[in-house]
Amino acid sequence: MPRVTEEYYEKKKQEIIDAAYRVCARKPITSVEMKDVIAETGFSHGVVYRYYKDLDEVLRDLVVRINRGNAMGGRLHAIVDGRAASEWKTVIREVCDMLADYLKEVGTDVLKISLYCDVLAMSDPGRVKSIADKIGQEESSPFLKLAPVLGVYLTDAILKNALTPKHSVEEILQFIIASYHGIQTGYVLSTCYEAEQLEGKYDSKAMFSCLADSVILMLDGK
């Protein structure tokens, strides 16, 4: 039997991940099974199991691919780097504008998969932790990179502008991330599932503007 080249090996793995992406965009990850991915690939069980021993290994590589393809570090640094501490309100507004644009740019399939991952994390946290532990720092969620960069800037802005925030920087960052996930959920429900209660009432751009106003007020201590 001829030796399989590294290029061939990676190509087959990518085809399996492509199939997993399509499956996970159609149905909740909590109900996805390895047989669904295998059927989607059109390969035999033996071929797929030659590359992945179980579904969690497939999901791990799927998450890595999504995170790599949707990094926001460069944009965040472009907003923060070189900005004076006195420009902190502008920075907050530009970060929230960036998040609003990011929501639209990543695409609804990725957002649905992200939402399904959140559901899986709630229903089986141990399993999700096991998958997350196998993801490298450079391949982790874009939001894990947002917090420290923005946190350093905000801490400096508080000191240099003598601000008196009502909450710690860590709590404010958690608020931003939690708010993003909430807005994302509403966006997915209104865009992908046409939830009647949100029809004609959901403006994600306006919500991110409201988030910026809220964060500014929290930092200003008013």
Side-chain angles (χ1 to χ4, degrees):
M1 182 176 177
R3 182 175 178 272
V4 175
T5 65
E6 184 175 345
E7 181 181 359
Y8 179 88
Y9 179 81
E10 288 302 322
K11 180 175 180 293
K12 282 296 181 186
K13 289 187 72 173
Q14 289 307 312
E15 289 175 354
I16 295 169
I17 297 305
D18 287 342
Y21 180 93
R22 294 192 296 272
V23 171
C24 292
R26 290 199 305 265
K27 62 189 296 188
I29 290 176
T30 49
S31 63
V32 172
E33 299 179 33
M34 192 64 159
K35 65 182 181 181
D36 299 319
V37 177
I38 293 171
E40 187 74 22
T41 65
F43 301 152
S44 68
H45 282 65
V47 168
V48 174
Y49 279 107
R50 191 178 303 162
Y51 297 93
Y52 290 100
K53 71 177 183 180
D54 57 31
L55 179 61
D56 286 357
E57 281 196 349
V58 175
L59 294 179
R60 180 265 177 197
D61 278 3
L62 174 60
V63 171
V64 167
R65 178 198 281 188
I66 289 173
N67 288 345
R68 283 176 177 170
N70 296 287
M72 63 173 71
R75 292 195 228 182
L76 180 62
H77 280 289
I79 293 171
V80 173
D81 290 354
R83 300 297 281 271
S86 60
E87 298 178 89
W88 65 274
K89 291 183 181 180
T90 299
V91 167
I92 290 296
R93 295 197 185 283
E94 290 186 1
V95 167
C96 288
D97 283 341
M98 177 196 73
L99 293 177
D101 292 339
Y102 179 84
L103 185 72
K104 298 288 183 66
E105 292 168 7
V106 295
T108 54
D109 283 347
V110 168
L111 296 177
K112 283 195 291 184
I113 292 172
S114 176
L115 184 59
Y116 293 152
C117 284
D118 290 342
V119 174
L120 180 62
M122 289 185 286
S123 63
D124 196 344
R127 181 183 176 194
V128 170
K129 184 179 185 304
S130 177
I131 295 172
D133 286 344
K134 297 172 185 175
I135 296 176
Q137 185 175 0
E138 292 305 311
E139 301 161 332
S140 60
S141 167
F143 290 97
L144 294 180
K145 300 179 180 67
L146 180 148
V149 174
L150 188 56
V152 169
Y153 177 85
L154 293 181
T155 299
D156 185 56
I158 289 169
L159 290 173
K160 291 183 177 177
N161 293 286
L163 302 178
T164 55
K166 294 292 186 181
H167 302 275
S168 69
V169 169
E170 182 179 350
E171 289 171 332
I172 292 172
L173 292 172
Q174 290 174 349
F175 174 74
I176 292 172
I177 294 172
S179 297
Y180 173 87
H181 284 295
I183 296 171
Q184 173 183 283
T185 299
Y187 180 76
V188 171
L189 290 174
S190 62
T191 304
C192 303
Y193 302 108
E194 299 178 351
E196 289 185 14
Q197 67 272 26
L198 296 177
E199 189 174 352
K201 301 177 182 178
Y202 200 89
D203 184 345
S204 57
K205 193 79 172 178
M207 291 187 180
F208 278 109
S209 178
C210 184
L211 173 60
D213 290 341
S214 300
V215 172
I216 288 170
L217 288 172
M218 292 168 72
L219 284 165
D220 221 0
K222 297 177 181 177

